[in-house]
Amino acid sequence: MCIRDRLKTLGTRSFFIILNNTKAPFNDVRVRKAANLAVNKKLIITKLINGLAVPQNGILSPQSFGFNKKLPELSYDPDQARKLMSQAGYQNGLDVVLDSEAPFKDIATAIASQLTKVGIRAKVQIWERNTIRSHWDPKKDKNRDMYYSSWGSGALDPAGIFVPNLMTNARGNRSGYSNSKVDQHLKKADAEPNQDQRAEHFRMAQEIVAQDLPLLFLWLPPV
């Protein structure tokens, strides 16, 4: 089977970097957007994932129910990232730690290198799985900066990935992200029997998240 055929069957696990929205520097949307624009996803996919992944502009798979096809593309744009950093008051850059598990060290290091080029000087910290999850427990105070992570949703429904990661105080919300408008759409979607209207609530929630960028969205590997 060729690579093109394999990519036709997308997986159900989205990869992203959790940004701690509760403290500086990632409590500033300009820094979060700069981080998203700083990473050349296509290059990393080619060099480190054998070309076997699809870049994402949000957390949902393109095959997910309620997927918003109109989300703005998060294109690689280091110059714009540097401008945003300057606007946020970080003309001289800033220092952060990117947490990762050992199997993802090479990818995390590549991402950290690209972030550093726009002034987000990221040092990779490798942790054992249980330890890193303890540090990023949604129920605990959030003191870390960034975490290379992923979330699977076999049902391809936003209720299985969007809600737990991006609804206020949800079970998987390690970023501390909170937006009342997003919460309203997710609650309405949960109670909505009409599937077209339910999908629309999810699409509107995605639009808001695309502006807030609480995570650094990465890619979706195939099955």
Side-chain angles (χ1 to χ4, degrees):
M1 181 181 295
C2 70
I3 289 176
R4 181 178 299 176
D5 290 335
R6 291 179 66 182
L7 282 174
K8 289 180 181 178
T9 307
L10 296 177
T12 58
R13 178 167 292 277
S14 296
F15 284 77
F16 47 85
I17 290 179
I18 298 169
L19 305 174
N20 187 345
N21 286 222
T22 68
K23 73 180 187 71
F26 296 117
N27 58 352
D28 190 323
V29 66
R30 293 169 295 187
V31 179
R32 299 198 299 269
K33 185 172 183 179
N36 272 275
L37 297 177
V39 177
N40 189 337
K41 292 181 279 192
K42 293 181 180 179
L43 178 63
I44 294 178
I45 289 171
T46 298
K47 297 292 186 180
L48 297 178
I49 316 178
N50 298 318
L52 297 177
V54 175
Q56 290 181 281
N57 301 313
I59 200 170
L60 294 184
S61 163
Q63 297 177 341
S64 174
F65 174 81
F67 176 73
N68 191 329
K69 299 179 181 179
K70 298 181 179 180
L71 294 182
E73 183 178 358
L74 293 169
S75 301
Y76 174 57
D77 192 342
D79 290 335
Q80 180 61 20
R82 293 185 189 95
K83 290 179 182 178
L84 288 166
M85 289 289 289
S86 181
Q87 292 171 11
Y90 295 105
Q91 295 90 341
N92 298 320
L94 56 89
D95 297 291
V96 294
V97 176
L98 171 55
D99 295 331
S100 175
E101 295 173 36
F104 307 111
K105 180 179 179 179
D106 289 347
I107 293 176
T109 299
I111 292 171
S113 177
Q114 293 183 355
L115 290 170
T116 297
K117 291 178 181 178
V118 304
I120 303 174
R121 295 184 293 271
K123 176 183 177 182
V124 176
Q125 174 75 54
I126 299 300
W127 300 91
E128 186 272 337
R129 182 181 181 86
N130 291 335
T131 301
I132 194 173
R133 293 207 166 195
S134 176
H135 283 309
W136 285 90
D137 188 331
K139 297 179 182 179
K140 295 181 179 179
D141 290 339
K142 298 167 178 62
N143 298 312
R144 308 296 299 173
D145 300 316
M146 313 172 74
Y147 172 21
Y148 180 83
S149 186
S150 67
W151 192 281
S153 177
L156 290 174
D157 188 285
I161 181 170
F162 193 100
V163 174
N165 281 280
L166 295 167
M167 190 171 188
T168 301
N169 295 325
R171 61 187 176 90
N173 188 339
R174 294 183 171 89
S175 68
Y177 174 66
S178 178
N179 186 305
S180 60
K181 293 182 179 179
V182 170
D183 293 345
Q184 289 172 15
H185 283 300
L186 297 181
K187 290 176 182 178
K188 289 179 180 178
D190 181 57
E192 179 57 64
N194 182 289
Q195 292 303 295
D196 289 338
Q197 293 181 25
R198 180 171 181 263
E200 183 60 20
H201 281 301
F202 284 131
R203 284 191 287 267
M204 294 178 73
Q206 289 168 73
E207 288 183 5
I208 299 170
V209 169
Q211 296 298 317
D212 290 346
L213 295 173
L215 309 174
L216 197 173
F217 299 110
L218 294 173
W219 41 69
L220 181 75
V223 173

